[in-house]
Amino acid sequence: MSKEKIGLKWLWETIPARTKIGLFLSGLLASFEGVINGLVFGYLVKVDYHDLTAILKFVGSSLMAFVVVYFSSYCYLVLQQHAVKLMNIKLKRTFFETDLNKALADENSSSSEAVNKVASLSKQIEQQYFVPIFYMIQAILLGITSTFLVLKTNFVLGTIYLILSFISFLPSYFGKKALSQKTEDWSQKNTTLLASVTDIFRGRFDIYYYGAKKRFLKKFSNDLANEERAYFKLNQLQFLIQTLAGLVAVVTLLLPILIGLVFVNKGLFGITISTIVTLSLTADRVVGSVREVAYDHAEISGTESIRSIEKTSNSMKDSVSADNRSGDLKLIDISVKRKGEEIFSHINLSVSRGDKIVLAGPSGIGKSTLLQAMIGQLPLSEGQVLFAGERLKPGDFAYISQKVWTFQGSIRENLSLGQKYEDNEMLEVLDKVGLKKELGQNILDVSVAEDGANLSGGQAQRLAMARGLLRHKQLFLFDEATSSLDQENADLIHELIYQLPATVVEVAHYYSASLIRKYDVTVYELTKEGLRLK
């Protein structure tokens, strides 16, 4: 397991070179906003008020300077938003792909964590890391240009202003650890809340039928209250740190004024009241910049614990065999353990090309676990699974469970999965599984509702079979595919399964003895001792 840190290097690699150059140039020009007032008012006393040309020239050049500065600020904000957009896309995609890889390696993974990261956690990182980073860069540039003018006005008193301004960092520095802990606590509570919402909606009918609605609403209310309480505490701490930083900034502004007045009284360093006024007007920008940096630093520090992405490597890769290999299927001494407990050990099985077999046995014996181990959803503690003499790969088979995956879209999209297939190819396989007659004209354009709500269980199963046939799979694996169907529809599906032009391995609790005899299907029973012919 490796970790990817969302940090400055990650940001630098994400933002294109042109955008970075544009951000630097527009940010540099916009930073003169902090000194333009001081420069204009400083030059005002030098204007010859008896010379109309000089007055017009002064007003024109001042106006031009303000236009350049504020247009640059606009450009900086637009480029900043463009950069944030690019970073959001990369961040959400990384979150999604990472959690998808985890889910492929762990059958018990839930979608709620992925939903939380894409919808909520990524937004928090945007608001409390991406955006403050740009504000901080702008504040630093503003501070640099302001510092230059401050030191140019009077080096001694200007230096005092600058040294005292850095005290504004102290509250955020000392609050960094506590802020990180509060953020992590809120993130955990938010994940729990989203998981609770997902669980309740998935089990809403059972909850309703068993009269447990009140209890689950109470659980949701508790999780919601915990999440909001954690978020309140996080914001409360941020506000406290920001308030303390503001109070410290006030002290750093007033203290050098006091020191400057003492210098005027003593006639030191050539400081006059005019010098103090100029520095107070300009140095406030330095203090303001430091205060902005302190605020942004506090927000950025609070996201440290959620900006580390754990990446899981797993054996289920994107690359699948494209040659649709055909041959014998062999299970050689395979053993599987779950949480340290041995589910089965040293299972051996040989299925010849084109044969049809059923794996039967009592509930809980491990039939589905055996199938999941074969396809790599569960790790083997021993042994290997071979197909056509090589290790079984994801692209070798079509795997169909009792809950077929469909999504909102057309039959064409659900069948092709966005891959390139000709319409006549798709119509041919739909005809083979009997859907072409059933769903009428223009079947490829027929809409599928969310979660296949407008398809019957049998239609969904046949659509899944058509997916495999379209890709010319030579191995079909069925996991209790007909358990949710009535006997008539289950028999119809089995008629199709046993006539598939491929090797078939079916896990079934019940099966039709007459169809088994009719299609010469071999039945194996899984027991604690292993597989045996039935």
Side-chain angles (χ1 to χ4, degrees), residues 105-379:
D106 181 3
E107 60 166 333
N108 296 314
S109 288
S110 168
S111 63
S112 60
E113 185 176 356
V115 170
N116 175 40
K117 288 180 180 178
V118 171
S120 180
L121 203 60
S122 59
K123 181 58 65 175
Q124 185 184 357
I125 292 175
E126 175 198 335
Q127 294 175 346
Q128 295 184 304
Y129 185 70
F130 293 161
V131 174
I133 281 286
F134 288 104
Y135 286 164
M136 183 182 286
I137 291 171
Q138 197 170 27
I140 289 171
L141 289 172
L142 182 64
I144 290 172
T145 53
S146 300
T147 298
F148 175 77
L149 183 60
V150 165
L151 294 179
K152 186 174 180 295
T153 301
N154 187 279
F155 185 81
V156 175
L157 190 55
T159 300
I160 292 173
Y161 265 100
L162 296 179
I163 291 174
L164 291 175
S165 67
F166 284 99
I167 298 175
S168 297
F169 278 110
L170 293 179
S172 62
Y173 176 79
F174 288 110
K176 178 180 178 180
K177 185 176 181 180
L179 201 58
S180 179
Q181 182 61 48
K182 294 290 184 187
T183 302
E184 186 174 357
D185 183 53
W186 171 78
S187 179
Q188 290 173 353
K189 295 288 193 305
N190 192 51
T191 300
T192 300
L193 174 63
L194 289 172
S196 178
V197 172
T198 302
D199 289 342
I200 291 171
F201 266 81
R202 286 178 56 211
R204 60 191 180 278
F205 293 112
D206 284 353
I207 291 170
Y208 175 68
Y209 296 145
Y210 289 114
K213 182 179 176 183
K214 185 176 180 180
R215 184 263 174 191
F216 277 92
L217 284 177
K218 183 178 180 181
K219 180 182 183 301
F220 169 77
S221 297
N222 288 337
D223 291 339
L224 176 61
N226 289 335
E227 186 268 343
E228 288 297 329
R229 192 179 300 112
Y231 192 60
F232 173 79
K233 290 181 179 178
L234 169 62
N235 285 322
Q236 188 180 34
L237 181 59
Q238 284 181 334
F239 296 152
L240 177 61
I241 292 172
Q242 291 171 1
T243 300
L244 290 175
L247 290 173
V248 170
V250 170
V251 172
T252 60
L253 178 63
L254 294 178
L255 186 57
I257 291 177
L258 174 63
I259 295 173
L261 291 172
V262 172
F263 286 163
V264 171
N265 180 262
K266 300 294 183 183
L268 299 174
F269 308 114
I271 296 172
T272 64
I273 296 298
S274 176
T275 305
I276 296 175
V277 171
T278 302
L279 285 176
S280 296
L281 183 64
T282 309
D284 179 61
R285 292 292 187 167
V286 179
V287 176
S289 298
V290 175
R291 184 166 61 246
E292 178 65 35
V293 170
Y295 286 168
D296 296 334
H297 185 264
E299 282 199 299
I300 289 169
S301 298
T303 64
E304 188 169 351
S305 61
I306 61 174
R307 287 188 286 108
S308 183
I309 302 176
E310 290 187 352
K311 291 197 167 183
T312 303
S313 59
N314 62 76
S315 59
M316 302 185 74
K317 305 297 183 183
D318 287 337
S319 57
V320 297
S321 53
D323 54 357
N324 286 306
R325 295 181 296 142
S326 179
D328 296 346
L329 173 69
K330 294 183 181 294
L331 277 62
I332 304 174
D333 284 328
I334 68 171
S335 300
V336 170
K337 291 182 178 179
R338 180 180 281 174
K339 296 180 180 179
E341 180 182 349
E342 190 173 77
I343 307 300
F344 47 76
S345 63
H346 302 291
I347 298 290
N348 288 279
L349 176 66
S350 180
V351 184
S352 298
R353 174 183 175 180
D355 281 359
K356 314 292 189 288
I357 73 164
V358 170
L359 299 178
S363 296
I365 196 67
K367 303 184 297 297
S368 295
T369 300
L370 177 59
L371 201 62
Q372 290 166 356
M374 287 170 55
I375 64 177
Q377 284 188 7
L378 292 174

